[in-house]
Amino acid sequence: MKIICLQENLKESLITLERATSKNQTMPILHNILLKTEKGMVSAFATDLEIGIEKHISCKIEKQGEVMIPVKTLLQFIQNLPNTRVGIETKNNTLHIETEQNKIKIPITSVNEFPLVPKIQPTKTITLQKGLVLKKALQQVLNSIATSYSLPEITGVLWVVEPYTLKLVSTDSFRLSEKVIFQKDTYTASHPATFIIPQKTAAELVRDIDTDEPIDISLNEHQIVFTMKNTTIISRLITGEYPKYEQIIPTTSKTVVELEKGEFVSQIKLASVFSSKINDVKVCVKKNKKTMEITSQDQGKGEFYAAINLPGVTGEDVEAVFNYKYLLEGLANIEDEDVVYELNGSASPAVFKTKTGDYRHVVMPIKT
């Protein structure tokens, strides 16, 4: 193989591929990437056997071929180069890399040892007309994904594809996020589908989607493929049944508050300074005064009090204690300045949602 690439093109692709390589020391073969010429460009593939990423890199191809390269060594070298032309050539089980000023040699092994790039037989397909719609939707549910492996089903993002809506859901049992993508001019699907993608796959999609180009999705019972302009992400699906999350979301509310998000966020941040080790902040709604009182206290730090005037409130007086981090992270996922906050007392979930109903963030209160 003999190719010539720009340093900038190589660097960006290698940074992405390095994230997909395995850190498992018992399988050193997965510390490599597979570089292969095809159809006027170079394909580079990395995998940790859970997720695989294939990047298409624009290069001048002088001789066809393929090579397996240790990605960490290659990336460290390429990152420290200026944006220059980089020549890559294989000779006698050695990789030769040359620039105007540098020449290096890297020992290589047979590509036959590297895992095959998976080719799935899809049973269902989905097309997102605008890639940035998916990126934003995943960003809104990422921070509610569970990190504990005691219940594997909630360590990923649930997709519920229906005729008129595509729902993305995540929960760690303390909070829950639901984002709804409406079908009109947004996506098409061959069949209804329900599946769970791992957290690592969702996070990688957020990093890699950088244009509004369409995204094609193909899946079967065990695997899913996301095809973008110059990137393909192949991932296993999480098996098992996702909890019946709809049962967690309250269908009625004791108190409904209309909030100006900016002021509420500012006061919660101030209250967090005086919260205890369990990050507790008390929220108390006074209907007749149309105010929300926010308090926190810690024996060593002191006490905090603030009162917010509410544009609108219906229902009854209510108070509850919440983990301030869960409040702030949910509010950060809402772009609108006007937010609806539904409370149900000190022992039942509260809900933040947009007025359009396309996003809901459910937070369990801290029982005191």
Side-chain angles (χ1 to χ4, degrees):
M1 183 179 78
K2 186 176 181 180
I3 60 174
I4 300 173
C5 304
L6 285 177
Q7 179 268 356
E8 188 176 61
N9 293 342
L10 277 174
K11 183 184 74 171
E12 295 304 319
S13 295
L14 290 172
I15 289 171
T16 300
L17 293 165
E18 198 271 340
R19 292 194 296 265
T21 55
S22 175
K23 307 303 182 284
N24 189 337
Q25 297 302 317
T26 62
M27 295 189 69
I29 193 72
L30 299 179
H31 301 172
N32 295 276
I33 62 171
L34 180 65
L35 211 61
K36 184 178 181 181
T37 58
E38 57 177 44
K39 297 179 181 177
M41 62 176 56
V42 171
S43 166
F45 180 73
T47 183
D48 63 0
L49 302 183
E50 176 181 290
I51 184 174
I53 301 177
E54 185 176 29
K55 296 288 291 186
H56 297 289
I57 309 168
S58 297
C59 295
K60 180 183 178 183
I61 299 171
E62 296 189 351
K63 184 180 179 182
Q64 302 289 335
E66 58 184 355
V67 62
M68 186 173 66
I69 314 171
V71 68
K72 185 176 181 180
T73 303
L74 182 60
L75 176 58
Q76 287 177 339
F77 176 71
I78 295 296
Q79 275 185 315
N80 286 293
L81 291 174
N83 188 21
T84 185
R85 287 156 57 96
V86 180
I88 300 175
E89 185 177 6
T90 55
K91 295 178 184 177
N92 302 322
N93 295 323
T94 303
L95 185 71
H96 296 254
I97 301 178
E98 185 174 339
T99 70
E100 290 181 0
Q101 294 180 301
N102 309 99
K103 292 181 180 180
I104 66 167
K105 297 179 182 179
I106 300 175
I108 56 177
T109 55
S110 171
V111 297
N112 295 329
E113 300 178 28
F114 196 80
L116 294 174
V117 179
K119 302 293 183 185
I120 77 165
Q121 296 295 324
T123 57
K124 297 174 182 177
T125 60
I126 306 163
T127 298
L128 274 295
Q129 272 80 28
K130 296 182 178 181
L132 294 179
V133 170
L134 178 59
K135 180 186 180 86
K136 176 185 172 184
L138 288 169
Q139 286 175 320
Q140 290 178 289
V141 300
L142 267 182
N143 53 21
S144 295
I145 299 174
T147 55
S148 169
Y149 287 86
S150 58
L151 189 60
E153 291 82 1
I154 64 171
T155 60
V157 177
L158 173 69
W159 292 52
V160 182
V161 185
E162 298 173 329
Y164 300 105
T165 57
L166 190 164
K167 297 178 183 177
L168 303 181
V169 182
S170 65
T171 184
D172 60 4
S173 76
F174 301 106
R175 62 257 174 97
L176 180 148
S177 297
E178 180 196 58
K179 171 66 179 179
V180 181
I181 299 174
F182 296 101
Q183 187 186 44
K184 185 180 180 182
D185 301 325
T186 306
Y187 77 93
T188 57
S190 64
H191 302 83
T194 301
F195 54 90
I196 310 166
I197 68 170
Q199 186 275 343
K200 183 175 181 177
T201 305
E204 191 58 49
L205 283 165
V206 169
R207 292 189 189 101
D208 289 346
I209 298 171
D210 56 6
T211 72
D212 233 1
E213 295 282 341
I215 298 175
D216 293 319
I217 304 170
S218 305
L219 68 146
N220 58 25
E221 186 178 356
H222 301 292
Q223 291 180 304
I224 188 166
V225 178
F226 297 86
T227 304
M228 294 167 270
K229 186 176 181 180
N230 292 312
T231 306
T232 301
I233 296 177
I234 305 162
S235 172
R236 71 172 181 88
L237 293 174
I238 296 175
T239 57
E241 185 174 352
Y242 203 83
K244 302 294 184 184
Y245 79 91
E246 297 94 338
Q247 297 174 2
I248 302 171
I249 303 174
T251 55
T252 59
S253 302
K254 290 182 179 180
T255 308
V256 179
V257 172
E258 293 181 14
L259 278 174
E260 293 181 3
K261 187 185 76 170
E263 183 179 10
F264 185 53
V265 167
S266 295
Q267 296 302 330
I268 292 295
K269 286 181 178 179
L270 291 171
S272 72
V273 176
F274 297 90
S275 66
S276 72
K277 292 180 180 179
I278 60 172
N279 301 327
D280 53 325
V281 169
K282 180 183 282 189
V283 174
C284 183
V285 176
K286 303 289 188 181
K287 179 187 175 184
N288 291 336
K289 293 183 179 180
K290 286 192 175 183
T291 61
M292 175 185 288
E293 297 177 349
I294 300 170
T295 58
S296 61
Q297 63 178 10
D298 178 81
Q299 188 172 2
K301 298 176 185 176
E303 300 181 5
F304 172 86
Y305 171 86
I308 297 175
N309 294 321
L310 300 173
V313 53
T314 58
E316 58 190 66
D317 290 356
V318 66
E319 67 176 41
V321 179
F322 298 97
N323 184 318
Y324 74 83
K325 289 185 177 180
Y326 297 160
L327 297 180
L328 292 176
E329 287 178 354
L331 288 163
N333 293 329
I334 299 176
E335 291 183 345
D336 302 345
E337 183 57 31
D338 296 325
V339 178
V340 178
Y341 186 19
E342 300 177 346
L343 296 99
N344 290 281
S346 61
S348 298
V351 184
F352 291 103
K353 63 182 184 181
T354 57
K355 287 187 175 182
T356 58
D358 66 336
Y359 179 76
R360 292 188 288 185
H361 185 76
V362 181
V363 185
M364 291 297 298
I366 298 173
K367 295 180 180 179
T368 57

